[in-house]
Amino acid sequence: MDTKLRTLMETKFRDAYGLKDYRIYFAPGRVNLIGEHTDYNGGHVFPCAISFGTYALVADRNDDMIRISSLNFEEDGVIRVPIRDLNIERPDMWTKYPLGVFRTFKEKGYDIQHGFDILIYGDIPNGAGLSSSASLEVLIGTIIKDSFELSDVSMVDVALFGQYAENNYCGCNCGIMDQFASAMGRENHAILLDTNELVYEYVPLAFENEKIVITNSKVKHNLADGGYNKARNSAEAALAELQKEVDIKTLGDLTEAEFESYSYAIENDDNYFSAKHAVYENRRVLKAVEALRANNFEELGKLMYASHMSLRDDYQVSCEEIDLLVDLAHEVEGVWGSRITGGGFGGCTVSIVKNEAIDTFIDYVGEEYKRETGIEAEFYVVEAAQGAGRIE
Ligand code: GLA
């Protein structure tokens, strides 16, 4: 943790809660390299945690009160909620994420024996598709697990509880990818995760000559607005139609050829294209991991572009600004591949760029994007980071 941030958080913590000892926790955001909208379609994903994330300074209390505040929403002040009555009264407020996780632990039968004073700060741009909300959920789960020494709650459980909170109290019917990456990330590795079985494998991201560059379109997305849930419903409707013809649990169970041979069962065109994306994207993840293991960046890049086109045309979760960023990236020599990352409808792209091309990439894409949209994009060169934990 940066010393300047540490000093600032300590000052703010003491202003809000008085002079007391605290512990520090961190949970990262994530970038998904490939495998988008597959995590609830029974398929594979390939994310890694990044060094941006959410920090908390935490002190135990002797009573039943949770006091929580965030430097990102200072105007909201300190929110006080008693544990015995964990009402998430304001669904429009950021506190639904942490309070939703407290409530989830209670619902799962864990006794929250005392309250906390918590100060939050996150450096992930909100709504950029880099999982600011999942990192906040995993952060709170990590605090609860650590504070009450819940050895029967694994970090995978922390991820699952975060997803449960998001699904039940925060209005987004998301899959497990974001919380999983935040809880289980490993330095210099991406996670090949089978979301059906929660079986996972760490794959080294040992790039010698290239880096992961995230480009923030600055077009905000809010998945709870409906687009995400709508896309999900469409894929699920197609699955239900396919299941009348073939014995599958998820769309990820089908190969491309099997899908094509049964696709007559799907009547509605939108549903057909949603299912097509899920089936093909799932296979692309496995091919991409194979390419990466063979150091075949050309193939990896091709799969990333194909993933983007499928999300744009078939799954329809992209937007003009993001498509422009991907097209511009394609024009730069030394860019292997580029695609939208995260839930969609704005947010960020992820690109694999050769080291020597990074400056040109940032200048060219930044300038052309500004010229066409008037928006100043942001670029983050990132490395795969460790998952959530107590840092002090
Ligand atoms: C959001 C969700 C994830 C996943 C992605 C799309 O980030 O939280 O569960 O579905 O969108 O891949």
Side-chain angles (χ1 to χ4, degrees), residues 44-168:
H44 290 92
V45 292
F46 193 48
C48 63
I50 55 179
S51 54
F52 293 117
T54 313
Y55 296 86
L57 265 54
V58 180
D60 295 338
R61 293 177 59 85
N62 300 323
D63 59 9
D64 174 61
M65 191 62 77
I66 296 170
R67 297 196 297 179
I68 187 163
S69 55
S70 165
L71 293 186
N72 301 88
F73 300 95
E74 277 199 284
E75 63 285 4
D76 290 342
V78 176
I79 309 296
R80 294 171 174 72
V81 184
I83 296 165
R84 66 181 174 280
D85 182 24
L86 264 177
N87 248 330
I88 304 158
E89 269 163 12
R90 295 272 314 273
D92 54 325
M93 261 184 88
W94 67 274
T95 44
K96 69 184 172 189
Y97 299 105
L99 297 179
V101 175
F102 273 107
R103 191 154 157 180
T104 300
F105 272 77
K106 265 181 75 176
E107 236 181 271
K108 303 274 176 195
Y110 293 96
D111 184 21
I112 310 286
Q113 297 142 20
H114 61 70
F116 294 94
D117 287 336
I118 305 177
L119 175 72
I120 301 284
Y121 172 72
D123 60 5
I124 309 175
N126 280 335
L130 301 176
S131 299
S132 53
S133 46
S135 85
L136 179 50
E137 290 151 7
V138 168
L139 180 73
I140 299 295
T142 306
I143 292 169
I144 299 172
K145 171 180 159 56
D146 183 66
S147 304
F148 298 118
E149 296 176 4
L150 303 177
S151 53
D152 60 327
V153 174
S154 67
M155 286 309 285
V156 173
D157 293 328
V158 167
L160 286 165
F161 292 0
Q163 181 200 17
Y164 182 95
E166 178 93 39
N167 293 168
N168 291 284

Side-chain angles (χ1 to χ4, degrees), residues 30 36-37 39-40 174-178 223 228 342-343:
R30 65 93 190 90
E36 217 68 77
H37 289 276
D39 65 347
Y40 52 85
C174 66
I176 188 63
M177 170 171 71
D178 304 351
L223 297 185
Y228 182 95

